Amino acid sequence: MNRLVPELGKRWNVVRAEQMKDYAEVGRKLVWQRQMIFAAALGLAGYYYSIALAVTTGILIALSEIYDFMVFRRVLAWNGRDAVVAKSLLSQLYFGTALSASVIVFYSIAIAQAQGPGAHFMSLFFLFAAALFAAMNNHHVLPILILRLGLYAATFIFIPVYDIWVTSAPVTSELWAQLFTSLFVLYFVIDCSRVYLSFYRGSLDQVDALTVENQKAQQAYKAKSEFISTMSHELRTPLTSIKGSIDLAHAGHLGPIGDQAQQVMGIAKRNCSRLIELIDEILDIQKIEAGRMPFRMKPFDLRELVEQSVDSNGPYAARLGVRLDCSHDDRPVPVVGDAARIEQVLTNIVSNAAKFSPEGSTVRVVVETEGEIARVSVTDQGPGLTDQDRERVFDKFSQVDSSDTRKIGGTGLGMNISKQIMQAHDGRIDYQNNSGKGATFYFEMNLDPSGAASLNAESDEGAEAPQAPVSAVNNLAV
């Protein structure tokens, strides 16, 4: 219980700070609406009643608005944590409310006095407008709303009561009807205030509920991510050992094996590779989403990287009966990025193009520059894609060909990882359909302004090559 009281007090201070900031923000946003209302009221007062009254009221309004503006700025700049500052700012808001409401009260009473006993439509209408404006826009801090409406309500009653007192009007007089009408209007304004206050508090409750649910969701997501990351690491170690043993046995290093065992070992070897690829990609996804994916940004020649990647992926494509062809200019294509991660993106695209192309076809890889952009395009001769496929292509665990008869399996993570890698490089990845068969996937990067000078300097220094190169069969996508 002793610990609960400070927590409740802390929560109350937070709510109060939010309400004060909401009040100040609305007050600042509505400044020009208020000036338009004041201008209309002062213009009518000056034309029909008294220039001196209009000028005096205008000066009072200017002083009130300047004071409110200064207080609003202090409230919005406040960090919302110091209770002493909160009390001081709240007192300043009270004073500003009393000041601005008193100016409107002064204006309404002065107009009523100038009119003499009667209907007082103009003064009571502007007083009603001010009260309704307060009900709609001053409900954030209840004491401020009560203070403002209290002053307006007293004026609503004072004007007709003063007329009755001065004229000694009987109950049958219209002046009494004015009093009863004022009471009805006052009830209407108070009821409007109650409704707007209820809406505002309901909105605050909804925001609090959403905040709590968001915190729960973040905690659940963090727990899920940590669980997946831990399980992936724990699974990868034994799988690597299993795959190493199977590779030795399959290669005959543990002794000769029969044809049937060789076939079974081949199946086990392929499935171990797929499981390790899946675990690696899950770990990459977790790193990216957690913002912990390491990127070693440094200048490199994109043309040279593409050549190496095509050579590395050549045997994989050959096993599918597909040939890879690479074309580019002889000039270097200098960019800045993580070469290993860019190779991972290109491997995803090339391997997808190979596995979805028919046997005997050619996958063409083109490196080109346009302006300050370097583009790598990979054109296949497969079934092609539609614009509706775009979400599935770059989504997690998604296969464009999700049938049980698809030619080559995949994890459905590679293209999603590729998209996020390109975003981290301020680049983009997309595809377009060919005029004939197939589709062209491409990614774009900004050219390095320092260009070949950086590459030559790095070459002269014998710079260390990027770590963790991606193998030709890693991260097979879609």
Side-chain angles (χ1 to χ4, degrees):
M1 183 65 182
N2 292 334
R3 286 180 295 180
L4 181 60
V5 173
E7 287 297 325
L8 292 175
K10 184 178 179 181
R11 176 59 188 156
W12 168 244
N13 289 333
V14 171
V15 172
R16 179 192 292 176
E18 291 175 355
Q19 293 172 344
M20 291 169 60
K21 286 182 176 291
D22 288 344
Y23 174 79
E25 182 65 29
V26 171
R28 190 175 66 171
K29 286 182 178 179
L30 297 177
V31 60
W32 292 113
Q33 293 186 28
R34 292 197 303 273
Q35 307 319 307
M36 291 174 63
I37 295 172
F38 290 147
L42 295 177
L44 291 174
Y47 185 80
Y48 288 103
Y49 297 102
S50 169
I51 293 292
L53 172 61
V55 172
T56 302
T57 307
I59 293 173
L60 294 174
I61 288 173
L63 293 174
S64 171
E65 287 293 312
I66 292 172
Y67 178 84
D68 282 343
F69 177 80
M70 294 172 60
V71 175
F72 291 161
R73 189 167 63 175
R74 292 191 199 109
V75 172
L76 294 174
W78 171 46
N79 58 21
R81 291 192 290 268
D82 193 326
V84 176
V85 176
K87 187 175 180 180
S88 174
L89 290 175
L90 192 58
S91 299
Q92 294 174 42
L93 290 175
Y94 288 156
F95 179 79
T97 300
L99 179 61
S100 60
S102 297
V103 173
I104 295 173
V105 167
F106 165 77
Y107 170 84
S108 300
I109 293 176
I111 293 295
Q113 292 296 313
Q115 291 174 331
H120 299 306
F121 173 79
M122 182 175 170
S123 58
L124 290 179
F125 175 78
F126 278 108
L127 192 63
F128 166 74
L132 189 60
F133 192 86
M136 295 170 60
N137 302 299
N138 294 161
H139 51 263
H140 310 90
V141 182
L142 183 57
I144 289 179
L145 179 63
I146 292 174
L147 174 60
R148 188 177 291 276
L149 291 183
L151 291 172
Y152 294 160
T155 310
F156 258 112
I157 297 172
F158 171 78
I159 292 175
V161 167
Y162 181 80
D163 286 349
I164 293 172
W165 179 70
V166 169
T167 60
S168 300
V171 177
T172 56
S173 171
E174 285 190 3
L175 297 178
W176 283 90
Q178 298 296 329
L179 173 60
F180 295 140
T181 302
S182 297
L183 292 174
F184 171 76
V185 171
L186 187 59
Y187 167 78
F188 172 76
V189 171
I190 293 174
D191 192 55
C192 286
S193 301
R194 180 189 61 80
V195 172
Y196 280 107
L197 180 62
S198 177
F199 283 158
Y200 175 68
R201 288 183 171 175
S203 298
L204 286 181
D205 291 340
Q206 289 179 351
V207 169
D208 288 342
L210 288 174
T211 301
V212 171
E213 291 300 320
N214 182 55
Q215 290 174 349
K216 291 181 179 178
Q218 288 181 345
Q219 291 173 355
Y221 179 79
K222 182 179 179 181
K224 180 215 72 170
S225 299
E226 290 176 351
F227 172 77
I228 292 177
S229 180
T230 301
M231 289 301 297
S232 299
H233 279 293
E234 293 299 323
L235 287 172
R236 199 185 191 288
T237 300
L239 270 175
T240 302
S241 300
I242 293 171
K243 183 178 182 299
S245 301
I246 292 174
D247 287 346
L248 289 174
H250 184 258
H253 295 303
L254 302 181
I257 56 175
D259 293 340
Q260 189 172 2
Q262 186 86 1
Q263 184 178 2
V264 172
M265 286 292 182
I267 295 173
K269 179 180 177 180
R270 288 194 299 272
N271 282 285
C272 278
S273 297
R274 290 180 62 183
L275 283 174
I276 292 174
E277 291 164 13
L278 175 59
I279 290 171
D280 287 342
E281 291 184 338
I282 289 175
L283 290 174
D284 278 347
I285 285 288
Q286 294 301 314
K287 290 176 184 177
I288 292 173
E289 292 181 348
R292 295 197 298 266
M293 170 70 81
F295 289 102
R296 296 187 58 194
M297 300 296 191
K298 57 191 304 185
F300 67 92
D301 185 357
L302 183 60
R303 180 203 60 174
E304 183 179 340
L305 181 140
V306 171
E307 288 179 344
Q308 294 173 358
S309 182
V310 169
D311 290 341
S312 299
N313 283 277
Y316 172 78
R319 289 199 300 271
L320 301 175
V322 177
R323 189 173 70 88
L324 300 183
D325 177 70
C326 181
S327 62
H328 52 73
D329 293 336
D330 293 333
R331 295 173 298 175
V333 181
V335 295
V336 174
D338 188 324
R341 292 299 177 183
I342 297 301
E343 184 180 2
Q344 181 178 349
V345 172
L346 183 57
T347 295
N348 281 319
I349 299 176
V350 171
S351 61
N352 283 334
K355 71 182 181 182
F356 285 109
S357 292
E359 291 187 18
S361 63
T362 300
V363 172
R364 303 191 181 278
V365 183
V366 179
V367 185
E368 54 191 346
T369 61
E370 182 175 350
E372 298 180 354
I373 301 297
R375 170 186 280 210
V376 178
S377 304
V378 180
T379 303
D380 62 53
Q381 298 179 29
L385 296 165
T386 65
D387 290 338
Q388 288 73 25
D389 293 326
R390 184 167 275 101
E391 184 175 349
R392 285 192 295 163
V393 167
F394 294 106
D395 198 8
K396 299 175 188 174
F397 297 104
S398 178
Q399 301 277 352
V400 174
D401 180 10
S402 57
S403 65
D404 293 335
T405 59
R406 63 177 184 265
K407 185 169 72 171
I408 300 294
T411 64
L413 286 171
M415 293 307 292
N416 180 266
I417 294 172
S418 297
K419 180 179 179 180
Q420 297 191 64
I421 290 174
M422 293 312 304
Q423 288 174 347
H425 284 75
D426 294 327
R428 64 187 293 256
I429 181 171
D430 205 350
Y431 70 85
Q432 59 189 22
N433 273 321
N434 301 333
S435 56
K437 290 184 178 181
T440 297
F441 275 79
Y442 61 88
F443 66 84
E444 296 176 341
M445 299 178 66
N446 295 322
L447 286 169
D448 180 13
S450 60
S454 296
L455 295 178
N456 293 336
E458 182 174 302
S459 177
D460 293 340
E461 295 172 5
E464 182 182 341
Q467 293 182 351
V470 182
S471 67
V473 295
N474 264 355
N475 300 310
L476 302 188
V478 188

